Amino acid sequence: MAYDLITMGRIGVDLYPLQTGVPLPQVTSFGKFLGGSATNVAVAAARLGRDAAVITRTGDDPFGTYLHEALREFGVDDRWVTPVPGLPTPVTFCEVFPPDDFPLYFYRRPKAPDLEIDAHELDLDAIREARVFWVTGTGLSEEPSRTATLAALAHRAGAGTTVFDLDWRPMFWSDPDAARPFYAEALKHTTVAVGNLDEVEVATGVRDPHDAARALLDAGVELAVVKQGPKGVLAVNSAGDSAEVPPLPVNVLNGLGAGDAFGGSLCHGLLAGWDLEKTMRHANAAGAIVASRLECSSAMPTPSEIEEALAAGAVL
């Protein structure tokens, strides 16, 4: 079976405070959720009716068991989610200060199991046959995940749609210069690049959205998607088509996970063959809906919820 989408990258347990506007030392209760950007993208696509799977690794511990259970509940194939003895499943805490301050605290030491993905253990045939394959910048930050990510991209060799989520997380790198050569190598095998202003600057060296989109196209991608926060999203393809779509109005509760919802919806639109503007509007709406909710994975919207938001012109 060829999957609609296979993602490869981070997984973990999100422990989010159930009180908003409260710093972590004063938080008294937390909710436990499936997390990790690549994993959340797969969940978002599955919620929209797509056959999705994720390639990642967990600890051989109760939190790892929980992640398998959550993936199955969300309809994401977990056959390539394997344990790493001796490494704990990562957990991530955040603070929730709406509308725009959501500090993240990653507990991924001594090393995150999802960075132990090994190229020799990949199902390269399944990766090549997937209609969309999604990788992240974090997967390039350490070995053996770096070699595995680049090997998977090379094996795709232009087959189907290959999305590189630039996913710049400064705590995983010594500095941007350390990341750029690996980002450049990944872009050679990528048909779609997605990132916010900080991420496209790391990848291209330029921050202006239109210049960065052009630099990504010059690097070989067919579609560049630049997320501009309150200014919306810019999408430009190699055929010369472009779309610049404003964000959907929303009362933000927790902005974390909105980008993953955007990514899952982006994949859905690409699979459906929608034009750029429709794809971006749908993805913007999906992201806005998740921003109005506390959690990430379990907050991913259904098709009807997205259509309702689009019809209303806002997340109500």
Side-chain angles (χ1 to χ4, degrees), residues 10-312:
R10 285 204 311 277
I11 195 170
V13 176
D14 288 342
L15 295 174
Y16 285 180
L18 299 182
Q19 296 95 17
T20 62
V22 178
L24 276 179
Q26 279 73 56
V27 172
T28 58
S29 57
F30 296 84
K32 173 168 61 71
F33 309 103
L34 171 73
S37 62
T39 303
N40 283 337
V41 169
V43 170
R47 189 64 61 88
L48 296 174
R50 297 298 177 177
D51 294 320
V54 60
I55 301 168
T56 189
R57 306 197 73 181
T58 70
D60 188 8
D61 55 26
F63 273 151
T65 301
Y66 160 72
L67 295 175
H68 278 279
E69 293 173 350
L71 285 168
R72 293 167 190 154
E73 180 180 342
F74 290 129
V76 175
D77 196 319
D78 65 343
R79 71 182 62 193
W80 297 304
V81 181
T82 58
V84 180
L87 290 179
T89 297
V91 297
T92 302
F93 290 89
C94 79
E95 294 174 304
V96 181
F97 296 106
D100 59 2
D101 187 18
F102 310 102
L104 275 172
Y105 303 90
F106 291 97
Y107 289 75
R108 291 169 58 85
R109 296 298 178 193
K111 186 178 185 180
D114 55 59
L115 293 175
E116 284 291 318
I117 300 171
D118 192 293
H120 299 96
E121 298 172 356
L122 295 175
D123 187 338
L124 291 174
D125 289 339
I127 289 171
R128 182 174 176 82
E129 292 167 4
R131 296 176 66 193
V132 178
F133 180 54
W134 177 288
V135 300
T136 74
T138 296
L140 298 172
S141 64
E142 289 192 43
E143 294 289 5
S145 173
R146 177 185 299 148
T147 293
T149 300
L150 294 174
L153 288 172
H155 193 78
R156 287 279 287 182
T161 298
T162 303
V163 184
F164 180 21
D165 174 8
L166 302 177
D167 183 41
W168 167 249
R169 304 284 180 169
M171 66 284 294
F172 300 155
W173 297 86
S174 58
D175 58 63
D177 289 339
R180 285 196 178 103
F182 303 113
Y183 274 52
E185 182 64 25
L187 285 169
K188 294 177 183 178
H189 306 288
T190 297
T191 60
V192 181
V194 184
N196 61 30
L197 294 177
D198 291 336
E199 291 165 340
V200 298
E201 185 176 17
V202 169
T204 67
V206 295
R207 190 172 181 86
D208 175 81
H210 290 271
D211 291 344
R214 174 50 55 193
L216 290 168
L217 293 173
D218 289 344
V221 308
E222 297 172 11
L223 172 63
V225 180
V226 182
K227 295 182 283 187
Q228 306 175 76
K231 292 185 177 180
V233 60
L234 168 69
V236 183
N237 67 21
S238 56
D241 303 317
S242 65
E244 195 157 7
V245 176
L248 210 60
V250 57
N251 290 321
V252 174
L253 175 59
N254 184 359
L256 302 173
D260 303 332
F262 181 100
S265 178
L266 169 65
C267 293
H268 180 63
L270 294 171
L271 287 163
W274 294 343
D275 62 37
L276 276 186
E277 182 162 345
K278 180 176 181 178
T279 300
M280 294 304 114
R281 288 190 182 280
H282 195 277
N284 261 357
I289 290 168
V290 171
S292 74
R293 299 170 176 175
L294 173 64
E295 64 274 22
C296 294
S297 53
S298 55
M300 296 302 170
T302 64
S304 61
E305 288 173 328
I306 295 174
E307 292 304 323
E308 288 169 8
L310 288 170

